[in-house]
Each structure stands twice: as C-alpha cells, then as structure tokens.
Amino acid sequence: MSCFQGLLFCPEAASLLLHNFCIYHISPPGHELGAAPFSPNSPVASVDELADQVAEVLDFFGLGSVMCLGVSAGAYILTLFAVCVSLEVTYFLLLAPLYSHLHPFLQTKYRERVLGLILVSPLCKTPSWTEWFYNKVMSNLLYYYGMCDMVKDCLLQRYFGKKLRGGSVVPESDIMQACRSFLDQRQSMNIWRFIQTINQRHDLTESLKQLQCRTLIFVGENSQFHNEAVHMAAKLDKRYSALVEVQDCGSVVTEEQPHAMLIPMEYFLMGYGLFRPSHVSSSPRSPLNPFCISPELLSPESMGVKLKPIKTRANLGV
C-alpha cells in the first residue's frame, strides 16, 4: 500500500481515479498487514503462482477486463498479464511489487483481461549481475538478522531518490520514516521468500511485441530501473505508448512526485473517454468524501513532495 498512498492522497489524481474506477489492490503473499510468517517447510511461491494470484482475485470478484497500475515488479507481472489483446475497461487494479515470467500457458490463460497499462519504473529483463548480487546480500541479511536497519537502507535506496532519503545534513523525510515503520510490520522471512522469487524472473522483451493495449510508462531519472524502463519503451509500439521521465526522482514516482503523474495520466485516460470531474463531487461513485479531509493535509508541502519538471518521450504523431 505504501506504493500508492501518495498518488491516491493527491486530490487531483484521486478525483480522476475515484470518479472513473473501483480500485482493487493486490499484495504479494505474506506482505499484507498482519500476515503470519510462512512455515519453513512450505515451498517458495513460483512466479507462475504469483501470476495466478492476480487471475484468482479478478475471478473471485467477477471482474472481466481491468485497467492496471503497477510499480516496479508489479509493473513486470502486469506486463506479462497483458501480453495479448484486452477488452473493455471495468476496474482499476493496483499491484504492488510482484514478479513473474513469460510462460506459453499464461499467454492464452490471461490474454483478454487488461485494457491498458500504467507502469511505474517497470522491469522487463532478467536481473543484471549487480541486481542479482544485491538481492543475494539482502536475502542473507534477512535470513540471519531479520529486518535490520541495513536491509531497510538497501530497500529504501532501491526505491527512493537521494533527496527523500536524506543524509548526514538533511534529515530523513516523513515518507522514509513511514516506510521504515511499514517494513517493521512485515515478516522478515516472508520478504526473504519473495526476494528468492525476484531473482527467478525472465526476460519479457520478445513478448512486448504481442502487447497491443495502450501503455504509459513513468520512471524517475534516478531510478535503479531507469535503463529497463527506457529499454521497454523502445520495444513498444510508439503509436500506443509513451515514456515520462520524472526528474530528480527515484523508482516510486507515485510517492515522490505524484503530481508529475497527473497530466500524463489524464491525457492517457482521455483516450478511453474518461475524464476528471470539473468540480468535486461526493456522488456514490466516489467512496471517499473529499470534504472529510482537510485540504492542508493533502497539500504537496505537507507530504514532503515538490513538483519537478518532467520530460516526455512520445511520438508527436500520436
């Protein structure tokens, strides 16, 4: 959930999303709040099982096709989920970091479930040697020492920019402190198991040729996954995709620079005939009443967020 709070608490983005969608959020197994630790004897979930989890949630709620928003590894599995044709928009799906790999059975099993993709710092290739080694170090630390400060620092460095993380002179931001608290509430062995799955992902580059839905990619210029996002954008059909690079930002753009996502998302959704309401409404379509929250609490300054310039790579002929 920490991947999406900044975006959903941004009033303009919230009005755009809550006005048009019913929102579902999926966490990796064992990452939900209050989850019990997995038994040491239970096998580590395969990447195929993580992909099956998404389909099971959609089927349980009777959902057909969905609009998907994924961050980092969540963007990876949603790309896999959408490698073929999709149908009409029904719901908006939020997916926190998850991993999977391309499997021929999945191509037909999930081919018509995704209408559009909004990907934040997506992954699409196998782990580099640097990332693989990085994950191994974190795995060993988690296994022997649990969720120690060094593991937290490694995870926060992977997902957030330097300014937000602070340093010896600049204090750590409120977002970082909230994320540290969030990590303290998770079972270290459950995270250890998930990292084992991370290093098993496969290259999706070739499958991107089959991606026929519209795709909008956000990535921070300081993200550790910046090169993968650029690589992915280069492989997609330029008529139906665009890359937005957010300056002075890490991987989780939804938290660091949610305002930078608003205009690109608005134009993206306009292509589906979806618009932000011209005035704030508390209609039944919006489960949250905006007037119940003080505007001061939703300001960029109160969240420690400052809007930075963005540069967009998109085909001008689209």
Side-chain angles (χ1 to χ4, degrees), residues 280-300:
V280 177
S281 171
S282 57
S283 67
R285 297 186 64 185
S286 299
L288 299 180
N289 187 340
F291 296 105
C292 294
I293 305 175
S294 172
E296 291 76 14
L297 297 178
L298 295 173
S299 66

Side-chain angles (χ1 to χ4, degrees), residues 73-203:
Y76 177 92
I77 196 171
L78 289 177
T79 303
L80 164 66
F81 205 69
V83 291
C84 291
V85 181
S86 301
L87 299 177
E88 61 179 319
V89 61
T90 309
Y91 297 94
F92 200 93
L93 180 67
L94 303 185
L95 192 59
L98 292 176
Y99 288 78
S100 186
H101 72 274
L102 184 62
H103 189 283
F105 175 61
L106 296 181
Q107 294 185 31
T108 56
K109 189 176 181 181
Y110 305 138
R111 62 181 297 167
E112 296 181 341
R113 308 301 293 266
V114 179
L115 173 66
L117 289 172
I118 302 176
L119 309 175
V120 180
S121 303
L123 307 175
C124 69
K125 298 189 292 185
T126 55
S128 64
W129 280 107
T130 304
E131 183 188 350
W132 182 88
F133 179 76
Y134 201 77
N135 290 334
K136 284 295 183 181
V137 171
M138 283 197 295
S139 294
N140 288 333
L141 289 172
L142 280 167
Y143 189 85
Y144 291 106
Y145 301 103
M147 184 54 68
C148 60
D149 288 339
M150 184 174 294
V151 173
K152 295 177 189 176
D153 290 338
C154 289
L155 291 171
L156 295 177
Q157 184 178 14
R158 168 173 286 183
Y159 290 112
F160 294 97
K162 186 175 181 179
K163 285 189 175 181
L164 214 60
R165 298 197 310 270
S168 56
V169 179
V170 181
E172 193 173 62
S173 68
D174 292 340
I175 295 178
M176 293 298 94
Q177 295 178 22
C179 285
R180 287 184 182 276
S181 176
F182 179 86
L183 291 171
D184 282 332
Q185 300 173 36
R186 297 300 175 268
Q187 297 290 341
S188 59
M189 290 309 297
N190 292 359
I191 298 177
W192 175 86
R193 294 164 61 89
F194 182 58
I195 291 180
Q196 305 308 302
T197 307
I198 289 176
N199 275 348
Q200 298 176 11
R201 75 176 189 269
H202 293 254
D203 196 336

Side-chain angles (χ1 to χ4, degrees), residues 215-249:
T215 305
L216 176 62
I217 300 176
F218 293 94
V219 65
E221 65 173 357
N222 298 325
S223 169
Q224 294 186 9
F225 310 120
H226 180 272
N227 290 338
E228 291 215 29
V230 174
H231 169 80
M232 183 176 184
K235 299 298 180 181
L236 294 173
D237 191 329
K238 299 300 187 297
R239 296 173 298 173
Y240 307 111
S241 63
L243 172 65
V244 178
E245 296 175 278
V246 184
Q247 296 184 9
D248 200 17
C249 186

